[in-house]
Amino acid sequence: MSYRLPESHIPYTDAYFLHSRKILHKEGLNPHVTMQVFLRKGPGKIYGIEEAVELIRTFSANNAKNLKVHALPEGADYAPLETLMTIEGPICDFVELETLYLGAITAATSVKNGGPEPDLASITARAREIRDELPDKTLLYFGSRHWHWSWDERISKAAIAGGFDACATDAGAHANNLTGGVGTIPHALVLSLGHHYGRDTGTVRAAEAFDRHISSSIPRIALVDTFNHECDDAIATARALGKNLWGVRLDTPGENLGQCGAPDDGRRYWTGNGVTVELVHGLRQRLDAEGFEHVNIVLSSGFGNLDKIRAFKEGEAKYGRLFESIGIGSLFPAHFATADIVRVDGEDFAKAGRFLRPNSRLVRVI
């Protein structure tokens, strides 16, 4: 089956993947990685695989000649967390494609399993509710990977209409008369540099490389949760970049208790795994104690949930300044697909909490 593809993947790609390819090229790095795709929501039947493969084949370097892609067949049964697809090859060949292939899988799987297409009015209403809760925070729409690329302009416009400030792709930004997509560092870049230089310095090395090669007009925001050393890596990065560091981003997954966080005591969104109020409070205290009051905190992971938003609003009422900005993707329901690097240059190497899940049901598709 043939699918309508965009003329170029670049306008529909999250900005931080575009930055990553540029940085890796400038650094002379192109590690051989294994990317693993899964869904949390299920069980169900998987769709969008064939379109994802066509996107990869069309837009990867050398038309995917350097890649090996394995996947479940279109329409196959799948279970939550089961590996649906793996992509193996030089990271620079396909690092820019994650937004598009995840969106294709998410949209098709969601609809074919009885879910609705995004309701633009509901997206605007949810965005407005979040804006009303956080009138003074910067809100970024980070959900382009959560639906098909052909909806990106419409969904981004709906989020901006509800009060969001920016979005992650150029297509979404230009639809709103904004300069371009926003975003800085993904886990893929940290893992690539972390494998080359070592886990202890991977986060800092990624931030330093971003600072060397990306326009100074883009704020330096370091992703600090990759190795579950959120506080230590934030402090180390602040020391390395000094006044150049605008902020650090927390995206701690639900598998991990964040460093500086508090074990679960029953207070949902305050304690336990993931990005919690106490984790952010602990990081804010560490930064301030080390003299890095100028370093801001950006949050992501699950903030389409109004209860979570309200918990952080209450956290600031209790503790004072905690964060300046939130990246939010989940403004509508869907079977969200996720991708993680799980191997680098033949070795198991992934962000904390994620690991290779072999699946004998996968078949070679590229």
Side-chain angles (χ1 to χ4, degrees):
M1 181 176 179
S2 180
Y3 295 91
R4 182 173 73 90
L5 304 182
E7 291 184 8
S8 169
H9 67 282
I10 290 175
Y12 300 97
T13 294
D14 287 304
Y16 65 10
F17 293 131
L18 302 177
H19 295 325
S20 295
R21 190 180 187 283
K22 177 178 180 179
I23 290 166
L24 289 168
H25 176 72
K26 293 284 189 180
E27 293 288 305
L29 296 176
N30 193 14
H32 188 285
V33 304
T34 299
M35 186 75 75
Q36 178 173 266
V37 178
F38 70 93
L39 279 75
R40 293 186 185 278
K41 189 173 183 177
K45 292 185 181 296
I46 189 67
Y47 290 93
I49 294 293
E50 292 178 356
E51 184 174 5
V53 169
E54 189 165 343
L55 286 162
I56 293 167
R57 193 189 306 276
T58 301
F59 294 117
S60 63
N62 301 307
N63 299 113
K65 289 183 174 63
N66 300 324
L67 302 182
K68 292 181 181 178
V69 181
H70 294 76
L72 289 179
E74 188 88 0
D77 292 328
Y78 78 92
L81 305 182
E82 181 179 11
T83 299
L84 310 174
M85 173 186 282
T86 59
I87 309 167
E88 302 175 56
I91 189 172
C92 290
D93 283 20
F94 68 98
V95 68
E96 295 180 343
L97 305 183
E98 183 174 324
T99 313
L100 274 78
Y101 65 72
L102 290 184
I105 293 170
T106 292
T109 301
S110 298
V111 171
K112 293 282 192 177
N113 284 275
E117 292 186 330
D119 181 88
L120 299 177
S122 296
I123 291 169
T124 296
R126 174 51 59 92
R128 186 171 293 118
E129 288 178 303
I130 295 170
R131 170 53 72 201
D132 288 345
E133 293 289 341
L134 302 173
D136 300 322
K137 303 298 183 182
T138 299
L139 302 179
L140 311 171
Y141 176 60
F142 278 2
S144 295
R145 73 193 61 197
H146 290 336
W147 206 257
H148 195 270
W149 64 268
S150 61
W151 282 68
D152 193 27
E153 289 97 336
R154 285 174 283 172
I155 296 175
S156 295
K157 287 182 74 173
I160 298 293
F164 275 43
D165 298 289
C167 49
T169 67
D170 286 347
H174 295 161
N176 288 281
N177 297 314
L178 301 172
T179 302
V182 300
T184 55
I185 296 173
H187 293 105
L189 181 63
V190 179
L191 288 167
S192 296
L193 290 166
H195 185 266
H196 185 75
Y197 292 108
R199 289 177 184 269
D200 290 345
T201 62
T203 297
V204 174
R205 294 283 193 164
E208 289 176 329
F210 188 99
D211 194 37
R212 277 194 296 274
H213 303 303
I214 301 301
S215 169
S216 60
S217 65
I218 298 174
R220 276 65 177 125
I221 301 172
L223 178 65
V224 296
D225 66 276
T226 305
F227 303 113
N228 203 194
H229 299 150
E230 288 86 344
C231 292
D232 289 347
D233 281 347
I235 296 300
T237 305
R239 288 174 178 156
L241 266 65
K243 293 296 183 181
N244 284 358
L245 184 65
W246 185 90
V248 296
R249 179 164 71 94
L250 289 172
D251 191 54
T252 304
E255 291 89 347
N256 298 339
L257 175 66
Q259 187 189 38
C260 294
D264 188 0
D265 63 6
R267 292 181 296 157
R268 193 176 185 193
Y269 308 122
W270 285 73
T271 60
N273 291 4
V275 179
T276 64
V277 174
E278 294 299 344
L279 168 60
V280 179
H281 180 227
L283 176 55
R284 182 73 269 160
Q285 286 184 308
R286 281 284 306 275
L287 288 167
D288 292 350
E290 295 283 345
F292 298 120
E293 294 91 346
H294 75 279
V295 176
N296 303 292
I297 297 177
V298 178
L299 309 179
S300 53
S301 187
F303 284 92
N305 184 320
L306 282 173
D307 289 337
K308 188 168 186 175
I309 291 284
R310 288 166 182 149
F312 278 79
K313 181 179 179 180
E314 293 169 7
E316 286 210 323
K318 177 177 180 180
Y319 293 127
R321 172 198 180 212
L322 292 179
F323 65 98
E324 278 65 42
S325 179
I326 304 183
I328 301 172
S330 50
L331 292 176
F332 53 89
H335 291 62
F336 299 125
T338 297
D340 294 306
I341 289 175
V342 291
R343 289 178 64 80
V344 181
D345 287 338
E347 299 178 1
D348 290 347
F349 198 78
K351 70 180 182 181
R354 303 286 167 82
F355 52 89
L356 179 66
R357 300 175 187 269
N359 186 354
S360 62
R361 299 174 61 214
L362 302 185
V363 297
R364 179 98 180 252
V365 291
I366 293 180

